[in-house]
């Protein structure tokens, strides 16, 4: 029983770590899409942030400079998306896919030019990464059965960026539902004409939403390469931007519900690694290929509308013309 509880706690611990980039990208997607901008480019911004964070940290030795650079690079990609979709009223899906393709190619080309490692960056030392933070009283809490294990394995030991992702959820909910900016943002995604008639710039609101989304994606990318991982590898985002978008849709464009969806995807990912090679009663050993595909199968089912019928913002994907 004790071994089972420990394995369960370790799975929940892995769930938090694996769900962190999904949570941050989901919050980015909520801001963008609540303003009326389809943001398929989450994947490209995540990948760009991961590469820039690892590259700058490698060149400077500072993870903080890597984090700041990742945020700036991701915001820059957001501005390209905004320039195409808001200023020039282009197709938002096409623009998002173009950014994903651009990020996929540029990270490899620049990586090869800078480091000559086939698109990867050199491995970072522990001092060049955001390491886990051991909370006060961990050793003392170890003497308390169950609670001490939960405190050490589940609550303590995560990096600063994991805690930042958890704090981002209530912060986003507060901004969206308790501030004037949030009210205008939701209104511009539902009926931009009413916002414009009130003398508020629709374009500037949407640009600000994309900037916020870029910040979150930059943090998520930095987490992948200089916190959870120790370097950048080709295509290391591995579809997490698309999975985060599925979580946004599953959560009906609400931060708390999207957070739960991200935890679900994180749990599926964590359980996949834990159940590999394990014989399950009445089922037997599940093929590893099927286990690895489960998060993506669930994503496809969500996006196809087989699990619930989400209600998107009314003006999403529609360019606004004054």
């Amino acid at each position: 029983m004790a071994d089972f509880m420990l394995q369960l706690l370790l799975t929940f611990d892995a769930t938090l770590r694996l769900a962190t980039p999904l949570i941050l990208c989901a919050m980015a997607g909520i801001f963008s899409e609540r303003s009326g901008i389809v943001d398929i480019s989450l994947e490209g911004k995540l990948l760009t942030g991961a590469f820039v964070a690892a590259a700058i940290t490698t060149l400077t030795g500072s993870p903080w400079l890597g984090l700041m650079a990742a945020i700036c690079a991701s915001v820059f990609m957001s501005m390209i998306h905004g320039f195409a979709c808001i200023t020039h009223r282009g197709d938002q899906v096409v623009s998002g896919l173009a950014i994903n393709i651009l990020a996929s190619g540029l990270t490899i080309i620049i990586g090869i030019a800078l480091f000559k490692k086939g698109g990867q960056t050199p491995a970072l030392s522990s001092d060049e990464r955001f390491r886990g933070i051991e909370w006060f009283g961990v050793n003392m809490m170890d003497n308390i059965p169950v609670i001490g294990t939960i405190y050490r394995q589940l609550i303590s030991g995560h990096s600063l960026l994991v805690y930042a992702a958890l704090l981002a959820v209530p912060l986003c909910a507060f901004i969206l539902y308790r501030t004037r900016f949030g009210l205008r943002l939701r209104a511009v995604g539902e009926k931009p004409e009413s916002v414009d008639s009130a003398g508020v710039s629709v374009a500037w609101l949407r640009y600000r939403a994309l900037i916020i989304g870029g910040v979150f994606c930059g943090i998520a990318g930095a987490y992948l390469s200089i916190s959870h991982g120790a370097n950048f590898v080709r295509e290391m985002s591995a579809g997490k931007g698309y999975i985060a978008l599925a979580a946004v849709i599953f959560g009906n464009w609400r931060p708390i519900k999207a957070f739960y969806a991200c935890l679900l995807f994180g749990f599926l990912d964590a359980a996949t690694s834990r159940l590999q090679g394990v014989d399950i009663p009445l089922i037997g050993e599940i093929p590893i290929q099927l286990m690895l595909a489960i998060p993506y199968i669930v994503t496809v089912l969500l996006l196809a509308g087989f699990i619930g019928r989400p209600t998107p913002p009314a003006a999403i994907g529609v360019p606004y013309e004054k």
Side-chain angles (χ1 to χ4, degrees):
M1 185 65 179
D3 288 341
F4 172 77
M5 287 298 296
L6 179 59
Q7 288 300 317
L8 188 62
L9 280 175
L10 290 175
T11 302
F12 288 151
D13 175 71
T15 295
L16 279 180
R17 298 176 193 271
L18 293 171
T20 293
L22 302 180
I23 293 168
L24 290 166
C25 284
M27 297 304 109
I30 286 174
F31 272 98
S32 300
E33 302 213 342
R34 277 287 191 169
S35 73
I37 301 296
V38 176
D39 204 357
I40 292 179
S41 63
L42 293 174
E43 177 78 5
K45 290 183 283 190
L46 175 64
L47 188 62
T48 301
F51 172 75
V52 172
I56 296 300
T57 302
T58 299
L59 295 173
T60 65
S62 170
W64 287 103
L65 286 178
L67 174 62
M68 293 299 106
I71 291 173
C72 291
S74 183
V75 169
F76 177 73
M77 292 298 240
S78 289
M79 293 301 94
I80 295 176
H81 188 43
F83 184 71
C85 299
I86 301 172
T87 303
H88 290 283
R89 296 185 289 277
D91 188 290
Q92 298 172 9
V93 175
V94 173
S95 173
L97 287 174
I99 287 174
N100 292 344
I101 295 169
L102 178 67
S104 177
L106 274 181
T107 52
I108 295 172
I109 292 171
I110 298 175
I112 292 173
L114 287 177
F115 304 109
K116 308 293 190 298
K117 288 181 174 288
Q120 299 184 15
T121 60
L124 299 171
S125 67
S126 59
D127 291 334
E128 295 174 320
R129 299 169 56 205
F130 288 101
R131 294 176 293 177
I133 300 172
E134 189 173 283
W135 284 29
F136 173 77
V138 168
N139 295 327
M140 181 178 63
M141 294 289 287
D142 281 341
N143 298 321
I144 305 175
V146 182
I147 295 176
T149 305
I150 293 174
Y151 187 73
R152 173 178 286 277
Q153 299 292 344
L154 193 59
I155 298 175
S156 178
H158 298 290
S159 82
L160 179 66
L161 301 184
V162 175
Y163 299 117
L166 296 176
L167 289 174
V169 179
L171 176 64
C172 290
F174 177 81
I175 292 173
L176 281 175
Y177 298 107
R178 293 290 185 270
T179 66
R180 180 181 298 177
F181 170 72
L183 174 63
R184 289 174 173 174
L185 188 72
R186 287 183 288 124
V188 83
E190 295 291 342
K191 200 169 183 60
E193 298 87 358
S194 62
V195 176
D196 193 20
S197 65
V200 179
S201 171
V202 172
W204 177 226
L205 266 174
R206 289 181 169 176
Y207 266 114
R208 279 187 284 174
L210 287 176
I211 290 171
I212 294 171
V215 170
F216 282 129
C217 285
I219 297 172
Y223 172 78
L224 281 181
S225 60
I226 62 174
S227 180
H228 186 66
N231 68 327
F232 175 85
V233 297
R234 298 171 64 159
E235 306 293 346
M236 76 179 304
S237 54
K240 288 180 175 61
Y242 296 112
I243 294 175
L245 185 61
V248 171
I249 296 170
F250 189 37
N252 210 22
W253 290 268
R254 296 177 181 273
I256 304 299
K257 291 183 178 180
F259 168 69
Y260 292 143
C262 291
L263 289 181
L264 171 62
F265 285 119
F267 178 78
L268 289 173
D269 202 358
T272 295
S273 59
R274 296 279 173 186
L275 293 177
Q276 289 178 15
V278 176
D279 284 325
I280 299 176
L282 304 178
I283 298 176
E285 184 177 335
I286 300 177
I288 184 173
Q289 293 85 358
L290 178 61
M291 294 298 300
L292 293 173
I294 285 176
Y296 302 98
I297 293 172
V298 175
T299 301
V300 171
L301 293 175
L302 288 173
L303 292 176
F306 289 109
I307 306 176
R309 286 290 178 182
T311 305
I316 189 169
V318 181
Y320 178 68
E321 295 188 33
K322 201 163 185 176

